[in-house]
Amino acid sequence: MFSLFSLFFSLSLSAMIHSLAAAMSSHLPNTSSSSSPSSSSSSSSLGGAWLLPDGRNSSLVRNNGADLHPLAPVSPWDVALCVTGTLISCENALVLAALFYTPSLRAPTFILIGSLAAADLLAGLGLVLNFISIYALDTDLATLVSVGLLIAAFSASVLNILAITVDRYLSLYNALTYNTERTLTFTYAMLALIWLVCVALGLLPALGWNCLADETHCSICRPVTKNNAVALAVTFLLVFALIMQLYLQICKIAFRHAQQIAVQQHHFAAISTTKGVSTLSAILCTFAACWMPFAMYSIVADSSYPVIYTYATVLPATCNSVINPIIYAFRNPDIQKSLWLACCGCVPANFSLRPRTSSDV
């Protein structure tokens, strides 16, 4: 695991060093012939692979008649996305390690949390790969691979959040029969369907659904076409509406269960349920704040819009994968205990595993 972290950091650092050196060399006097007209359209997606170019961020340097790689100045937005991707990878790798090395964490809830962590881990790796493809590789193949990985990973992240919401709903609706083998089979089948759909979505750009041949049809995220971006954004809005509806049902069931469990403890029931509703509200607001700007902007904008707006909506969306481990994993007392044992070999004296009740949402 530590070697994996080292690989992430070394890849990110080497790409940054390479791009910084390229940026510095681009300021040296150029005594050779001028660039070809086509070079002015070199892209810088999220700088070159993830976002459309603005046409001003790169130049082609010639040396003795031989074409060299485009020397693009390093965008601070790209650096921020790469750092975010590295943080996402480290966080979610830690969650996966805790789940993998703790045999007791095999309930459907933890399987779904592990799937979400895997999706976010791939998203983090995709952001790092996107940075490398912009400033080191700069090929159509690298563009298609990095964008395909990002589409598949972030789609899986959103759908896994939906699956976790369904799991929470079923754990309250069928509280007595929830932890059964039948439920475990249903969980695996649901995850298999989610990952199959997301892999198919990630392969679409490589299979020809891209705008590399005609960039007039590009969306704000090159090389995704405008139609595909709109379809993905509308699908996200539908998923978000479904998540909201499920959480409303969870609140209703939680209030009813809390009243039944604490008939003689109305004050405690009110406090516990109110805290749960506040937690749900925070989860929904965080999810909407991260993804809604990018989804709405993908629908209304196209490749002619300033690239700065795309960066400003993409960065919060990627930050959702930073927040997901905190919301769904690190708050869980069982995972907390596993992490304490893995890191320190002991559990703090004031740490307690309070039994989770139906009002815990």
Side-chain angles (χ1 to χ4, degrees):
M1 189 60 63
F2 287 106
S3 61
L4 185 60
F5 294 163
S6 301
L7 178 59
F8 298 155
F9 283 113
S10 61
L11 287 175
S12 304
L13 185 60
S14 61
M16 291 180 191
I17 293 174
H18 173 85
S19 54
L20 285 171
M24 293 176 63
S25 63
S26 64
H27 294 289
L28 296 176
N30 185 7
T31 58
S32 59
S33 59
S34 61
S35 303
S36 63
S38 62
S39 66
S40 63
S41 63
S42 301
S43 62
S44 132
S45 150
L46 258 164
W50 180 236
L51 300 185
L52 263 173
D54 60 3
R56 297 171 298 174
N57 293 333
S58 61
S59 60
L60 186 64
V61 178
R62 295 179 184 273
N63 184 18
N64 296 328
D67 291 349
L68 300 179
H69 291 291
L71 301 179
V74 180
S75 167
W77 291 96
D78 288 328
V79 174
L81 287 170
C82 185
V83 171
T84 302
T86 305
L87 178 60
I88 291 171
S89 301
C90 294
E91 272 189 308
N92 289 280
L94 184 62
V95 174
L96 288 175
L99 295 175
F100 181 80
Y101 289 107
T102 308
S104 60
L105 303 181
R106 295 293 185 269
T109 298
F110 298 111
I111 294 172
L112 292 171
I113 292 175
S115 180
L116 175 62
D120 287 333
L121 173 61
L122 290 176
L125 293 175
L127 290 172
V128 176
L129 177 61
N130 179 72
F131 185 89
I132 296 173
S133 69
I134 295 170
Y135 296 103
L137 301 179
D138 193 29
T139 63
D140 286 346
L141 178 60
T143 299
L144 293 172
V145 170
S146 62
V147 170
L149 179 58
L150 288 169
I151 291 174
F154 282 118
S155 299
S157 179
V158 171
L159 292 180
N160 273 290
I161 291 176
L162 174 61
I164 290 175
T165 308
V166 172
D167 171 75
R168 289 181 172 181
Y169 171 76
L170 293 177
S171 67
L172 292 174
Y173 187 77
N174 298 319
L176 297 178
T177 60
Y178 174 69
N179 289 313
T180 63
E181 187 65 29
R182 181 178 178 183
T183 303
L184 197 61
T185 303
F186 172 76
T187 301
Y188 280 117
M190 182 168 55
L191 289 180
L193 179 61
I194 286 174
W195 282 101
L196 182 63
V197 170
C198 294
V199 169
L201 290 175
L203 289 175
L204 287 180
L207 294 177
W209 280 271
N210 62 67
C211 60
L212 291 177
D214 184 5
E215 296 197 357
T216 59
H217 293 91
C218 280
S219 66
I220 58 172
C221 299
R222 180 182 180 270
V224 181
T225 63
K226 173 66 175 178
N227 291 337
N228 286 353
V230 171
L232 289 172
V234 171
T235 302
F236 165 79
L237 295 177
L238 294 175
V239 170
F240 179 70
L242 182 56
I243 291 175
M244 286 189 62
Q245 179 62 30
L246 286 171
Y247 271 130
L248 288 176
Q249 296 301 318
I250 289 173
C251 289
K252 292 179 181 179
I253 297 174
F255 272 112
R256 186 169 65 249
H257 284 194
Q259 292 173 355
Q260 294 172 352
I261 292 173
V263 175
Q264 302 301 325
Q265 302 176 11
H266 298 287
H267 180 66
F268 171 78
I271 293 176
S272 178
T273 308
T274 302
K275 181 180 178 181
V277 172
S278 300
T279 301
L280 289 184
S281 301
I283 292 173
L284 283 176
C285 290
T286 300
F287 185 66
C290 289
W291 277 107
M292 198 63 71
F294 179 68
M296 299 303 298
Y297 188 67
S298 297
I299 295 175
V300 302
D302 56 32
S303 58
S304 64
Y305 281 60
V307 70
I308 187 66
Y309 297 149
T310 306
Y311 279 116
T313 55
V314 165
L315 188 58
T318 61
C319 287
N320 183 247
S321 293
V322 178
I323 300 172
N324 282 341
I326 301 172
I327 293 177
Y328 298 101
F330 297 146
R331 290 175 58 249
N332 187 285
D334 298 298
I335 296 179
Q336 288 178 13
K337 180 181 178 181
S338 176
L339 291 174
W340 275 110
L341 291 173
C343 297
C344 306
C346 61
V347 178
N350 59 351
F351 183 85
S352 62
L353 280 174
R354 180 179 62 84
R356 298 178 68 83
T357 67
S358 58
S359 62
D360 290 330
V361 291

